[in-house]
Amino acid sequence: MDSAEYERKIAHRFAEFDQDGNGYIDREDFSRAAAALLAEFGTTARSDKGQALYSGAEAFWQGMAGIADVDGDQRVNRQEFVDGAVKRLRDNPHRFAEIARPFLHAVVAIADEDGAGVTPAGAQRVLRVLGVEPQRCEAVAVALDADGDGRISEEQILAAFAAYYVTPEP
């Protein structure tokens, strides 16, 4: 895949972070995503899981801003996101996974309703809330359960998340 095509894919993925559609990713987008996830799973913001999710969202925002907000305006525009992903993360998707880990860890804690791992149905709910195209949610959730045991581990989610946002694969 050539660099221009890769940049187009990454730019499309920017829209999934831009929860309010204002053309920027900022702290509010992460808070909005956390609130939507809490509502979807009936978890209160003041609970331990709710607080962990908001803390994880803030950590994720800080990590992304540290990589991509080159002008220091506390928001990441599409070009900054593309440049940050292409220049800083393409060769090291694991770095992006580490930035996202606190947030994803908290998401897993909320979506794992019985303590045995996130089910594909739970993953579908998370994906839909986070802005993945509804017609793709089921296929993505099934693919996340790579071993077919009906449960998706945090490590599987981290690896897939990082690969999706910083590599050219679908």
Side-chain angles (χ1 to χ4, degrees):
M1 173 177 301
D2 67 20
S3 182
E5 185 178 351
Y6 174 72
E7 288 184 26
R8 280 191 302 278
K9 284 187 176 202
I10 296 301
H12 172 75
R13 292 163 186 173
F14 168 86
E16 292 170 349
F17 276 108
D18 183 12
Q19 294 279 303
D20 58 11
N22 68 355
Y24 295 94
I25 301 169
D26 58 18
R27 178 177 279 111
E28 183 59 32
D29 290 310
F30 286 84
S31 293
R32 185 177 309 249
L37 285 164
L38 292 175
E40 174 68 22
F41 287 93
T43 305
T44 63
R46 292 186 183 257
S47 69
D48 289 344
K49 288 181 179 182
Q51 290 298 297
L53 185 62
Y54 277 111
S55 294
E58 176 63 19
F60 194 2
W61 160 245
Q62 291 294 328
M64 180 179 289
I67 287 174
D69 182 19
V70 295
D71 62 9
D73 66 354
Q74 290 299 299
R75 55 189 192 173
V76 175
N77 65 36
R78 181 179 158 175
Q79 193 58 52
E80 287 175 319
F81 182 80
V82 170
D83 289 347
V86 172
K87 293 180 180 167
R88 296 183 181 100
L89 298 173
R90 185 175 187 178
D91 294 330
N92 188 1
H94 181 71
R95 184 171 176 208
F96 191 69
E98 289 309 311
I99 291 167
R101 184 181 291 276
F103 178 71
L104 293 176
H105 178 75
V107 169
V108 167
I110 289 168
D112 179 0
E113 298 181 278
D114 64 4
V118 178
T119 64
Q124 285 180 54
R125 292 171 64 192
V126 169
L127 292 165
R128 184 181 42 75
V129 167
L130 293 180
V132 174
E133 296 145 353
Q135 66 274 18
R136 294 185 54 221
C137 289
E138 182 177 1
V140 171
V142 169
L144 285 171
D145 182 18
D147 59 9
D149 68 355
R151 301 296 173 159
I152 306 164
S153 73
E154 184 173 329
E155 290 306 314
Q156 288 170 310
I157 291 168
L158 277 168
F161 186 83
Y164 177 74
Y165 280 103
V166 300
T167 64
E169 286 79 32

